[in-house]
Amino acid sequence: MIYRLLADSVLILHLLFIGFVVFGGFSALRSPRIALAHIPAACWGAFIELTGGLCPLTVIEVEFRRLAGDAGYSGSFIEHYLLPVIYPAGLTGDIQFVLAALVILINAAIYGWLVYRKCGSRFQ
């Protein structure tokens, strides 16, 4: 029972982390200090997607599920939980590239706006 609870907790943490990776730049618009945590998180998310690697949180969750007596799952967190919701087919390299590109583009736009806003106010 405790391992299943730990696995579910890691799952929730992982989902929150992914949300922060994708949308954390918007928080940085209101509080630029958030960028100190968000930029490394976004880089990590893009790296994992571009390399096809497994996030350590996935490995931890799968191990807790195995210890709880579940079969666990193979592949990544996104492939197991999010892809069935977003995409009907399995995770491919092309889809991972698109996901990484979205993370990079969204955050580049947000941080570009922050830099423009900060630097633009100096020259006015």
Side-chain angles (χ1 to χ4, degrees), residues 99-114:
L99 292 172
L102 285 172
V103 167
I104 292 167
L105 290 173
I106 289 169
N107 288 295
I110 290 169
Y111 288 111
W113 173 252
L114 279 173

Side-chain angles (χ1 to χ4, degrees), residues 64-87:
F64 282 144
R65 295 214 181 278
R66 189 190 65 74
L67 291 170
D70 295 342
Y73 57 87
S74 62
S76 71
F77 173 88
I78 290 174
E79 185 177 28
H80 186 73
Y81 289 108
L82 300 181
L83 236 77
V85 174
I86 299 170
Y87 304 102

Side-chain angles (χ1 to χ4, degrees), residues 14-80:
H14 203 171
L15 188 58
L16 291 172
F17 181 78
I18 290 171
F20 182 64
V21 165
V22 175
F23 301 110
F26 293 111
S27 297
L29 288 172
R30 292 184 60 69
S31 178
R33 289 183 181 203
I34 290 175
L36 295 173
H38 180 255
I39 291 172
C43 289
W44 173 255
F47 172 77
I48 288 295
E49 287 304 316
L50 288 171
T51 62
L54 285 179
C55 179
L57 291 173
T58 300
V59 176
I60 293 168
E61 181 203 346
V62 168
E63 181 61 16
F64 282 144
R65 295 214 181 278
R66 189 190 65 74
L67 291 170
D70 295 342
Y73 57 87
S74 62
S76 71
F77 173 88
I78 290 174
E79 185 177 28
H80 186 73

